[in-house]
């Protein structure tokens, strides 16, 4: 089988790495990919500029499965375009992708189908939003409704910060069209959890839980990023919490998908908050998360391609997931200045000294050198029988790597609350 993966980050490198473990995979194309996928066995990077080119490439090269990592392309309707040409693609159609593409829509969906979530209101008018800020308690959460690369969520500690966030989004166009509609949401105190899952429209199969660390600074301080590190499984997702998730979030979500006729073969990523009052749904993502994927897939004992094929065949109810009895820790090494301005083109050295998994997120090959090409540069993943062991090993590996401005958080896996 030939596979096409669309994306360029550490997630796509990890997906390609997992697919390559199946011997029936003849070729893996990654569009556009990065230095990591370029060096992977049976893998080839390809430059495809738009959906039409991707469809044409998949058809011409007899690609048996396409997997989409880009939320923008999913919202744009890439799955619909592939299916119109009779091509097998794993992901939500345009109708279903709105669950990620619009936070306002997803919150209304949760409310309609009884998915446990925080109280909220939606606004497009600045004055109405400001009036609402007088009626609520603080801290509060202000979210750009559209896609903002994980950066359109502001936790406002007081009314002044909330007014600033609303102004940035609705008046100053900080997040462009993504912030033209906003959600002001009740702040939930607790521990975040991520649960990746796949669905065939009739069944949802959850994967092992994970804990993402989103803020740039240690102790969850500073700006939001695409994720500075992740551990799996999440120690706070106990058997009781998992049961509550299934009963109060996953099952009503599935019922909502059926009622809205959102039938597709793809991923649902549940972003959750575990509080003293139970577990709440924060958001849906409709593709594998980054960097959660980089920690979850190395723990998966199942053949990933076989699971996806069973999903596509409508046999997901027959899948039995199997996971290693271990913890995974993934630390993201980023360029200095990320998530704001940063420089590119610095040489990365020391990777040959690392025994742990290395997934490239933002680097390119130039002659014999590996050079930084993005804000998120490398993902180092280590497994261990204990969480502490996995984290210690990951940091031992990242200390062997160097590039100008390399920064990583030093507290991944140290959860205080």
């Amino acid at each position: 089988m030939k596979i096409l993966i669309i994306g360029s980050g550490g997630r796509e490198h990890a997906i390609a790495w997992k697919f390559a473990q199946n011997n029936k995979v003849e070729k893996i194309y990654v569009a556009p990919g990065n230095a990591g996928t370029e060096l992977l066995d049976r893998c080839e990077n390809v430059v495809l500029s738009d959906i039409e080119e991707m469809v044409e490439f998949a058809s011409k090269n007899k690609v048996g499965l396409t997997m989409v990592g880009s939320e923008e392309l999913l919202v744009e309707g890439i799955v619909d375009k592939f299916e119109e040409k009779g091509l097998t693609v794993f992901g939500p159609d345009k109708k279903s992708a709105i669950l990620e593409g619009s936070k306002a829509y997803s919150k209304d969906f949760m409310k309609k189908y009884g998915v446990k979530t925080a109280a909220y209101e939606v606004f497009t008018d600045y004055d109405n939003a400001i009036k609402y800020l007088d009626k609520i308690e603080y801290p509060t959460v202000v979210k750009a409704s559209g896609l903002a690369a994980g950066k359109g969520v502001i936790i406002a500690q007081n009314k002044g910060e909330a007014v600033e966030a609303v102004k940035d989004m609705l008046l100053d166009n900080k997040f462009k069209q993504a912030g033209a509609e906003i959600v002001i949401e009740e702040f939930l105190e607790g521990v975040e959890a991520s649960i990746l899952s796949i669905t065939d429209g009739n069944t949802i199969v959850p994967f092992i839980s994970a804990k993402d660390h989103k803020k740039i600074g240690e102790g969850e301080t500073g700006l939001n990023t695409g994720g500075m590190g992740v551990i799996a499984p999440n120690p706070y997702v106990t058997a009781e919490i998992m049961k509550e998730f299934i009963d109060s979030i996953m099952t009503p979500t599935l019922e909502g998908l059926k009622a809205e006729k959102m039938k597709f073969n793809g991923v649902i990523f549940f972003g959750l908050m575990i509080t003293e009052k139970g577990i709440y749904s924060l958001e849906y993502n409709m593709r594998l998360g980054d960097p959660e994927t980089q920690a979850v897939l190395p723990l998966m004992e199942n053949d990933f391609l076989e699971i996806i094929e069973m999903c596509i065949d409508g046999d997901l109810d027959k899948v039995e997931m199997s996971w290693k009895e271990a913890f995974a820790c993934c630390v993201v090494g980023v360029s200095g200045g990320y998530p704001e301005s940063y420089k590119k083109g610095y040489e990365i050295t020391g990777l040959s000294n690392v025994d742990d998994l290395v997934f490239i997120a933002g680097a390119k090959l130039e002659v014999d050198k590996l050079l930084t090409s993005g804000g998120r540069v490398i993902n180092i993943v280590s497994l261990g029988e204990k969480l502490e062991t996995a984290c210690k090993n990951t940091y031992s590996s990242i200390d062997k790597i160097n590039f100008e401005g390399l920064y990583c958080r030093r507290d991944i896996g140290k959860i205080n609350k």
Side-chain angles (χ1 to χ4, degrees), residues 2 17-18 49 58-59 70 78 90 93 110 112 131 142 153 158 172 181 195 199 238 241 256 274 302 393:
K2 295 179 181 178
W17 166 81
K18 191 68 174 177
S49 60
S59 181
S70 164
I78 186 172
F90 191 71
D93 59 12
M110 294 177 203
K112 182 177 181 180
K131 290 176 184 176
V142 183
V153 178
N158 50 56
D172 296 342
E181 180 178 53
I195 297 182
T199 183
T238 62
I241 290 294
I274 304 168
N302 303 74
N393 292 344

Side-chain angles (χ1 to χ4, degrees), residues 155 157 187 189-192 211-231 273 395 407 409-417:
I155 299 174
Q157 298 297 326
F187 175 77
E189 186 76 37
V191 178
E192 286 195 49
K211 169 72 175 75
D212 188 15
H213 297 66
K214 291 185 174 66
K215 300 284 190 176
I216 188 67
E218 294 178 11
E220 290 302 308
T221 58
L223 297 173
N224 266 341
T225 73
M228 292 300 295
V230 66
I231 56 172
M273 182 70 78
Y395 282 112
Y407 168 77
R409 280 182 53 172
R410 291 279 165 178
D411 63 344
I412 303 302
K414 296 178 182 178
I415 309 174
N416 297 318
K417 65 178 184 176

Side-chain angles (χ1 to χ4, degrees), residues 34-55:
N34 58 41
T37 52
E38 187 173 344
L39 294 170
L40 193 63
D41 183 42
R42 286 175 284 155
C43 203
E44 178 184 341
N45 290 347
V46 292
V47 178
L48 303 171
S49 60
D50 55 34
I51 293 176
E52 286 69 27
E53 277 194 18
M54 294 169 187
V55 170

